[in-house]
Amino acid sequence: QKRALHDFRPDLVHVATEALVGVAGHRWARDRGLPLVTSYCTNFPDYLSGYGLGWAQGWCWHHLRNFHGQAEVTFCPSHATLDDLRGRGFHERMRIWSRGVDSELFSPSRRSEALRREIAPGADLILMYVGRIAPEKRIGLLMDAFPRIRARAAGMGKRVALVLVGDGPALASLRRTAGPDVHFTGYRRGQALAEHYAAADLFVFPSDTETFGQVVTEALASGVPAIAPARGGVMDTVIPDETGRLFEPGNADDLAEQALSLIADDLLRTRLARQARTSAERRSWAAIFETLFADYARVVAEHRANRPAMHGSTPPDHTTKGSPTRDGVVTR
Protein backbone atom coordinates (compact mmCIF):
# COMPACT_ATOMS: atom_id res chain seq x y z
CA GLN A 1 0.00 0.00 0.00
CA LYS A 2 2.78 2.44 0.82
CA ARG A 3 4.42 1.70 -2.53
CA ALA A 4 1.15 2.32 -4.35
CA LEU A 5 0.72 5.65 -2.58
CA HIS A 6 4.30 6.65 -3.36
CA ASP A 7 3.85 5.84 -7.04
CA PHE A 8 0.54 7.69 -7.16
CA ARG A 9 2.21 10.85 -5.76
CA PRO A 10 -0.87 12.56 -4.29
CA ASP A 11 -1.03 16.27 -3.59
CA LEU A 12 -3.46 15.71 -0.72
CA VAL A 13 -4.55 12.81 1.48
CA HIS A 14 -8.18 12.48 2.59
CA VAL A 15 -8.63 10.08 5.51
CA ALA A 16 -12.25 8.96 5.77
CA THR A 17 -12.04 6.66 8.80
CA GLU A 18 -10.56 6.83 12.27
CA ALA A 19 -9.84 3.09 12.30
CA LEU A 20 -6.45 1.45 11.70
CA VAL A 21 -6.28 2.15 7.97
CA GLY A 22 -7.10 5.77 8.72
CA VAL A 23 -4.36 5.97 11.34
CA ALA A 24 -1.89 4.57 8.79
CA GLY A 25 -2.95 7.09 6.15
CA HIS A 26 -2.80 9.88 8.70
CA ARG A 27 0.82 8.98 9.57
CA TRP A 28 1.83 8.48 5.92
CA ALA A 29 0.65 11.98 4.98
CA ARG A 30 2.32 13.62 7.97
CA ASP A 31 5.64 11.84 7.42
CA ARG A 32 5.76 13.27 3.89
CA GLY A 33 4.58 16.77 4.68
CA LEU A 34 1.43 16.37 2.62
CA PRO A 35 -1.77 18.28 3.38
CA LEU A 36 -4.17 16.09 5.32
CA VAL A 37 -7.95 16.35 5.52
CA THR A 38 -10.27 14.05 7.44
CA SER A 39 -13.95 13.12 7.47
CA TYR A 40 -16.09 12.64 10.56
CA CYS A 41 -18.80 10.24 9.37
CA THR A 42 -19.77 7.95 12.23
CA ASN A 43 -20.91 8.77 15.74
CA PHE A 44 -18.87 6.05 17.44
CA PRO A 45 -19.12 7.45 21.01
CA ASP A 46 -22.93 7.34 21.03
CA TYR A 47 -22.91 3.88 19.46
CA LEU A 48 -20.92 2.57 22.43
CA SER A 49 -23.89 2.98 24.75
CA GLY A 50 -25.98 0.64 22.62
CA TYR A 51 -23.44 -2.12 23.27
CA GLY A 52 -23.00 -1.57 26.99
CA LEU A 53 -19.72 0.33 26.55
CA GLY A 54 -20.83 3.79 27.59
CA TRP A 55 -17.93 3.94 30.05
CA ALA A 56 -15.55 4.28 27.07
CA GLN A 57 -17.19 7.38 25.59
CA GLY A 58 -14.77 9.83 27.20
CA TRP A 59 -11.74 8.00 25.84
CA CYS A 60 -13.36 7.77 22.41
CA TRP A 61 -14.05 11.52 22.23
CA HIS A 62 -10.44 12.20 23.32
CA HIS A 63 -9.11 9.98 20.51
CA LEU A 64 -11.37 11.62 17.92
CA ARG A 65 -10.41 15.16 18.97
CA ASN A 66 -6.72 14.27 18.69
CA PHE A 67 -7.13 12.43 15.39
CA HIS A 68 -9.04 15.19 13.60
CA GLY A 69 -7.20 18.04 15.32
CA GLN A 70 -4.07 17.35 13.23
CA ALA A 71 -5.89 17.84 9.92
CA GLU A 72 -5.95 21.00 7.87
CA VAL A 73 -9.71 20.53 7.48
CA THR A 74 -12.26 18.09 8.89
CA PHE A 75 -15.33 17.52 6.74
CA CYS A 76 -18.69 16.95 8.44
CA PRO A 77 -21.77 15.67 6.60
CA SER A 78 -24.30 17.95 8.32
CA HIS A 79 -24.63 21.22 10.22
CA ALA A 80 -25.85 19.44 13.35
CA THR A 81 -22.74 17.26 13.40
CA LEU A 82 -20.44 20.22 12.89
CA ASP A 83 -22.10 22.14 15.73
CA ASP A 84 -21.91 19.10 18.02
CA LEU A 85 -18.19 18.61 17.38
CA ARG A 86 -17.42 22.27 18.03
CA GLY A 87 -19.34 22.02 21.29
CA ARG A 88 -17.14 19.07 22.25
CA GLY A 89 -13.91 21.00 21.78
CA PHE A 90 -12.96 20.00 18.25
CA HIS A 91 -10.91 22.43 16.17
CA GLU A 92 -12.49 25.26 14.19
CA ARG A 93 -11.18 24.13 10.79
CA MET A 94 -14.33 22.22 9.90
CA ARG A 95 -16.44 22.43 6.76
CA ILE A 96 -19.63 20.84 5.52
CA TRP A 97 -19.32 18.06 2.97
CA SER A 98 -22.87 16.89 2.56
CA ARG A 99 -24.09 13.77 0.76
CA GLY A 100 -25.79 13.36 -2.57
CA VAL A 101 -28.34 10.85 -3.80
CA ASP A 102 -28.88 9.02 -7.07
CA SER A 103 -32.31 10.38 -7.96
CA GLU A 104 -32.47 8.20 -11.06
CA LEU A 105 -32.06 4.98 -9.09
CA PHE A 106 -34.21 6.12 -6.17
CA SER A 107 -37.42 7.38 -7.72
CA PRO A 108 -41.21 7.30 -7.21
CA SER A 109 -41.44 5.75 -10.69
CA ARG A 110 -40.31 2.43 -9.15
CA ARG A 111 -43.46 2.09 -7.05
CA SER A 112 -45.07 -1.30 -7.56
CA GLU A 113 -48.44 -2.42 -6.22
CA ALA A 114 -47.35 -6.02 -6.69
CA LEU A 115 -44.35 -5.50 -4.41
CA ARG A 116 -46.54 -3.74 -1.84
CA ARG A 117 -48.84 -6.77 -1.71
CA GLU A 118 -45.82 -9.07 -1.41
CA ILE A 119 -44.04 -7.32 1.46
CA ALA A 120 -47.13 -6.19 3.41
CA PRO A 121 -50.20 -8.26 2.46
CA GLY A 122 -53.48 -6.46 3.09
CA ALA A 123 -51.95 -3.14 4.14
CA ASP A 124 -53.48 0.18 3.13
CA LEU A 125 -50.38 2.11 4.18
CA ILE A 126 -46.78 0.98 4.61
CA LEU A 127 -44.36 2.47 7.12
CA MET A 128 -40.80 1.51 6.29
CA TYR A 129 -37.41 1.46 7.97
CA VAL A 130 -34.25 0.79 5.94
CA GLY A 131 -30.88 0.25 7.56
CA ARG A 132 -28.89 -1.81 10.00
CA ILE A 133 -31.02 -3.78 12.44
CA ALA A 134 -28.94 -3.04 15.52
CA PRO A 135 -29.27 -1.45 19.00
CA GLU A 136 -27.59 1.83 18.03
CA LYS A 137 -30.33 2.47 15.46
CA ARG A 138 -32.96 2.66 18.23
CA ILE A 139 -35.12 0.02 16.57
CA GLY A 140 -36.68 -0.74 19.95
CA LEU A 141 -38.21 2.74 19.97
CA LEU A 142 -39.91 2.07 16.65
CA MET A 143 -41.19 -1.30 17.84
CA ASP A 144 -42.64 0.39 20.93
CA ALA A 145 -44.41 3.04 18.86
CA PHE A 146 -45.83 0.83 16.14
CA PRO A 147 -48.61 -0.97 18.10
CA ARG A 148 -50.04 2.46 19.02
CA ILE A 149 -49.81 3.61 15.43
CA ARG A 150 -51.47 0.43 14.19
CA ALA A 151 -54.32 0.56 16.70
CA ARG A 152 -55.22 4.20 16.15
CA ALA A 153 -54.89 3.93 12.38
CA ALA A 154 -57.35 1.04 12.51
CA GLY A 155 -59.78 3.45 14.19
CA MET A 156 -59.45 5.61 11.07
CA GLY A 157 -60.30 2.63 8.91
CA LYS A 158 -56.71 2.19 7.72
CA ARG A 159 -54.65 -0.95 8.07
CA VAL A 160 -51.01 0.01 8.55
CA ALA A 161 -47.99 -2.27 8.23
CA LEU A 162 -44.37 -1.77 9.29
CA VAL A 163 -41.71 -3.14 6.94
CA LEU A 164 -38.07 -3.33 8.05
CA VAL A 165 -35.49 -3.66 5.28
CA GLY A 166 -32.00 -4.67 6.35
CA ASP A 167 -29.95 -7.05 8.41
CA GLY A 168 -28.01 -6.90 11.65
CA PRO A 169 -27.43 -8.43 15.08
CA ALA A 170 -30.90 -7.59 16.42
CA LEU A 171 -32.83 -9.10 13.50
CA ALA A 172 -33.35 -12.58 14.93
CA SER A 173 -34.73 -11.36 18.26
CA LEU A 174 -37.01 -8.82 16.55
CA ARG A 175 -38.43 -11.51 14.31
CA ARG A 176 -39.35 -13.57 17.40
CA THR A 177 -41.00 -10.72 19.29
CA ALA A 178 -42.58 -8.61 16.52
CA GLY A 179 -46.33 -8.20 16.69
CA PRO A 180 -48.93 -8.28 13.91
CA ASP A 181 -48.35 -6.43 10.63
CA VAL A 182 -44.57 -6.19 11.16
CA HIS A 183 -42.64 -7.63 8.23
CA PHE A 184 -38.92 -8.21 7.56
CA THR A 185 -37.44 -8.38 4.07
CA GLY A 186 -33.77 -8.92 4.87
CA TYR A 187 -30.95 -7.08 3.13
CA ARG A 188 -31.67 -5.42 -0.23
CA ARG A 189 -29.43 -3.45 -2.58
CA GLY A 190 -29.46 -1.72 -5.98
CA GLN A 191 -32.70 -1.72 -7.91
CA ALA A 192 -34.42 -4.06 -5.45
CA LEU A 193 -33.68 -1.62 -2.65
CA ALA A 194 -34.97 1.30 -4.72
CA GLU A 195 -38.20 -0.58 -5.41
CA HIS A 196 -38.69 -1.22 -1.70
CA TYR A 197 -38.28 2.46 -0.83
CA ALA A 198 -40.82 3.44 -3.49
CA ALA A 199 -43.31 0.89 -2.14
CA ALA A 200 -43.57 2.78 1.16
CA ASP A 201 -45.96 5.57 2.14
CA LEU A 202 -43.92 6.87 5.08
CA PHE A 203 -40.28 6.37 6.05
CA VAL A 204 -39.78 6.02 9.80
CA PHE A 205 -36.24 6.45 11.12
CA PRO A 206 -35.78 6.24 14.91
CA SER A 207 -31.97 6.65 15.14
CA ASP A 208 -30.81 9.86 16.84
CA THR A 209 -27.08 9.16 16.44
CA GLU A 210 -26.75 9.86 12.71
CA THR A 211 -24.14 12.24 11.33
CA PHE A 212 -26.22 12.47 8.13
CA GLY A 213 -28.65 9.62 7.50
CA GLN A 214 -28.16 8.57 3.86
CA VAL A 215 -31.17 6.25 3.92
CA VAL A 216 -33.42 9.20 4.72
CA THR A 217 -32.24 11.02 1.60
CA GLU A 218 -32.84 7.89 -0.49
CA ALA A 219 -36.38 7.67 0.88
CA LEU A 220 -37.04 11.32 0.05
CA ALA A 221 -35.75 10.78 -3.48
CA SER A 222 -38.23 7.91 -3.74
CA GLY A 223 -41.07 10.31 -2.95
CA VAL A 224 -41.54 9.05 0.62
CA PRO A 225 -41.89 11.62 3.44
CA ALA A 226 -39.74 10.88 6.49
CA ILE A 227 -40.39 10.87 10.22
CA ALA A 228 -37.12 11.27 12.12
CA PRO A 229 -35.79 12.53 15.48
CA ALA A 230 -35.05 16.21 15.98
CA ARG A 231 -31.39 15.48 16.51
CA GLY A 232 -28.36 14.87 14.32
CA GLY A 233 -27.74 14.99 10.61
CA VAL A 234 -31.29 14.11 9.56
CA MET A 235 -32.31 17.65 10.47
CA ASP A 236 -30.56 18.89 7.30
CA THR A 237 -33.00 16.92 5.13
CA VAL A 238 -36.20 16.32 7.13
CA ILE A 239 -37.88 19.72 7.19
CA PRO A 240 -41.14 19.80 9.17
CA ASP A 241 -44.19 20.15 6.92
CA GLU A 242 -41.94 20.25 3.84
CA THR A 243 -40.33 16.80 3.58
CA GLY A 244 -41.66 15.10 6.71
CA ARG A 245 -41.99 15.47 10.47
CA LEU A 246 -39.56 15.48 13.41
CA PHE A 247 -40.22 13.87 16.79
CA GLU A 248 -38.63 14.31 20.20
CA PRO A 249 -35.59 11.99 20.33
CA GLY A 250 -36.22 8.85 22.34
CA ASN A 251 -39.96 9.56 22.70
CA ALA A 252 -42.03 6.70 21.28
CA ASP A 253 -45.31 8.55 21.97
CA ASP A 254 -44.21 11.55 19.93
CA LEU A 255 -42.93 9.30 17.14
CA ALA A 256 -46.38 7.70 17.01
CA GLU A 257 -48.14 11.07 17.03
CA GLN A 258 -46.08 12.43 14.14
CA ALA A 259 -46.69 9.29 12.10
CA LEU A 260 -50.42 9.35 12.81
CA SER A 261 -50.70 12.99 11.80
CA LEU A 262 -49.56 12.03 8.31
CA ILE A 263 -51.50 8.77 8.19
CA ALA A 264 -54.69 10.73 8.91
CA ASP A 265 -54.13 13.41 6.25
CA ASP A 266 -53.86 11.94 2.75
CA LEU A 267 -53.56 15.33 1.06
CA LEU A 268 -50.73 16.49 3.34
CA ARG A 269 -48.91 13.19 2.89
CA THR A 270 -49.17 13.52 -0.90
CA ARG A 271 -47.86 17.09 -0.80
CA LEU A 272 -44.92 16.14 1.39
CA ALA A 273 -44.11 13.22 -0.92
CA ARG A 274 -43.88 15.57 -3.87
CA GLN A 275 -41.74 18.07 -1.96
CA ALA A 276 -39.51 15.29 -0.65
CA ARG A 277 -38.73 14.24 -4.20
CA THR A 278 -38.01 17.82 -5.26
CA SER A 279 -35.64 18.38 -2.33
CA ALA A 280 -33.67 15.24 -3.19
CA GLU A 281 -33.35 16.18 -6.85
CA ARG A 282 -31.28 19.18 -5.74
CA ARG A 283 -28.75 16.87 -4.05
CA SER A 284 -26.90 15.50 -7.04
CA TRP A 285 -23.57 13.79 -6.42
CA ALA A 286 -22.02 15.94 -9.15
CA ALA A 287 -22.79 19.12 -7.21
CA ILE A 288 -21.62 17.58 -3.92
CA PHE A 289 -18.26 16.53 -5.38
CA GLU A 290 -17.77 19.85 -7.13
CA THR A 291 -17.88 21.55 -3.74
CA LEU A 292 -15.50 18.97 -2.24
CA PHE A 293 -12.96 19.36 -5.04
CA ALA A 294 -13.01 23.14 -4.61
CA ASP A 295 -12.21 22.63 -0.92
CA TYR A 296 -9.37 20.25 -1.85
CA ALA A 297 -7.86 22.88 -4.15
CA ARG A 298 -8.12 25.53 -1.43
CA VAL A 299 -6.41 23.30 1.16
CA VAL A 300 -3.57 22.41 -1.23
CA ALA A 301 -3.01 26.08 -2.09
CA GLU A 302 -2.96 27.13 1.57
CA HIS A 303 -0.63 24.28 2.49
CA ARG A 304 1.87 25.23 -0.20
CA ALA A 305 1.79 28.84 0.89
CA ASN A 306 2.06 28.25 4.63
CA ARG A 307 3.72 24.86 5.20
CA PRO A 308 6.62 23.96 2.93
CA ALA A 309 7.54 20.30 2.57
CA MET A 310 9.25 18.75 5.61
CA HIS A 311 13.04 18.51 5.53
CA GLY A 312 14.19 15.21 4.12
CA SER A 313 10.83 14.26 2.56
CA THR A 314 10.22 13.84 -1.13
CA PRO A 315 7.44 16.23 -2.14
CA PRO A 316 5.10 15.41 -5.02
CA ASP A 317 5.82 16.77 -8.48
CA HIS A 318 3.48 19.77 -8.77
CA THR A 319 4.63 20.90 -12.21
CA THR A 320 1.24 20.01 -13.67
CA LYS A 321 -1.90 21.57 -12.28
CA GLY A 322 -3.82 19.10 -10.10
CA SER A 323 -7.22 17.76 -10.97
CA PRO A 324 -9.42 16.13 -8.34
CA THR A 325 -10.65 12.56 -8.47
CA ARG A 326 -13.33 10.66 -6.57
CA ASP A 327 -10.67 8.63 -4.77
CA GLY A 328 -10.22 11.30 -2.10
CA VAL A 329 -6.96 12.73 -3.40
CA VAL A 330 -5.88 15.45 -5.79
CA THR A 331 -3.69 14.00 -8.53
CA ARG A 332 -1.18 15.50 -10.87
Side-chain angles (χ1 to χ4, degrees):
Q1 292 178 342
K2 290 182 179 180
R3 184 64 191 175
L5 287 169
H6 177 79
D7 292 344
F8 189 64
R9 302 177 69 81
D11 298 288
L12 172 145
V13 175
H14 186 164
V15 174
T17 175
E18 300 93 349
L20 291 178
V21 67
V23 171
H26 199 294
R27 184 179 299 116
W28 190 88
R30 284 301 177 204
D31 287 348
R32 285 151 185 80
L34 291 169
L36 171 72
V37 301
T38 58
S39 285
Y40 182 89
C41 302
T42 305
N43 194 343
F44 288 115
D46 277 0
Y47 282 9
L48 292 173
S49 295
Y51 292 90
L53 298 172
W55 54 268
Q57 284 185 323
W59 172 87
C60 191
W61 281 120
H62 174 78
H63 166 70
L64 292 172
R65 276 191 296 269
N66 181 64
F67 184 90
H68 293 285
Q70 299 176 58
E72 271 79 357
V73 169
T74 295
F75 292 106
C76 302
S78 66
H79 292 85
T81 298
L82 187 149
D83 291 342
D84 182 44
L85 295 184
R86 283 182 172 163
R88 294 181 182 278
F90 279 61
H91 63 78
E92 293 295 317
R93 305 179 305 282
M94 291 188 287
R95 295 176 189 162
I96 298 294
W97 174 31
S98 190
R99 299 293 182 267
V101 64
D102 185 344
S103 57
E104 292 186 7
L105 175 61
F106 301 103
S107 168
S109 66
R110 297 192 183 275
R111 188 176 179 90
S112 164
E113 291 302 319
L115 180 60
R116 285 170 58 83
R117 290 191 296 269
E118 176 187 334
I119 62 177
D124 299 310
L125 292 171
I126 296 175
L127 277 60
M128 184 174 289
Y129 166 85
V130 176
R132 181 170 161 81
I133 312 295
E136 73 270 12
K137 297 299 183 180
R138 310 288 196 259
I139 304 297
L141 187 74
L142 178 54
M143 303 304 282
D144 287 345
F146 181 68
R148 307 172 211 184
I149 296 170
R150 178 177 176 272
R152 287 178 54 186
M156 304 174 193
K158 297 178 178 180
R159 183 176 176 182
V160 176
L162 173 62
V163 175
L164 292 92
V165 181
D167 200 353
L171 179 59
S173 62
L174 286 181
R175 283 185 184 275
R176 290 193 299 269
T177 59
D181 291 318
V182 178
H183 308 280
F184 301 87
T185 71
Y187 180 75
R188 294 292 184 272
R189 60 180 297 178
Q191 183 173 322
L193 174 60
E195 291 169 351
H196 278 67
Y197 275 118
D201 299 290
L202 290 174
F203 189 75
V204 188
F205 195 64
S207 174
D208 57 9
T209 60
E210 303 301 308
T211 59
F212 182 73
Q214 185 67 30
V215 292
V216 174
T217 311
E218 292 168 354
L220 299 182
S222 303
V224 183
I227 298 164
R231 182 188 178 210
V234 295
M235 295 176 65
D236 274 12
T237 53
V238 182
I239 311 303
D241 291 326
E242 290 188 21
T243 61
R245 289 280 174 86
L246 297 173
F247 66 88
E248 180 184 349
N251 189 327
D253 288 333
D254 195 32
L255 190 165
E257 288 300 323
Q258 298 305 325
L260 287 162
S261 70
L262 297 185
I263 289 170
D265 194 332
D266 295 342
L267 290 178
L268 175 59
R269 196 173 62 252
T270 299
R271 177 172 64 82
L272 295 187
R274 184 170 57 250
Q275 292 172 178
R277 170 65 182 177
T278 300
S279 74
E281 288 177 326
R282 295 192 291 266
R283 287 184 169 272
S284 73
W285 277 113
I288 296 296
F289 275 107
E290 183 177 351
T291 300
L292 177 66
F293 296 159
D295 282 330
Y296 282 169
R298 187 178 303 112
V299 169
V300 170
E302 291 173 355
H303 184 85
R304 292 177 186 173
N306 300 325
R307 297 181 64 182
M310 295 172 59
H311 178 72
S313 65
T314 304
D317 180 2
H318 298 304
T319 56
T320 306
K321 185 178 180 180
S323 59
T325 76
R326 291 183 182 232
D327 296 321
V329 294
V330 178
T331 65
R332 291 183 291 116

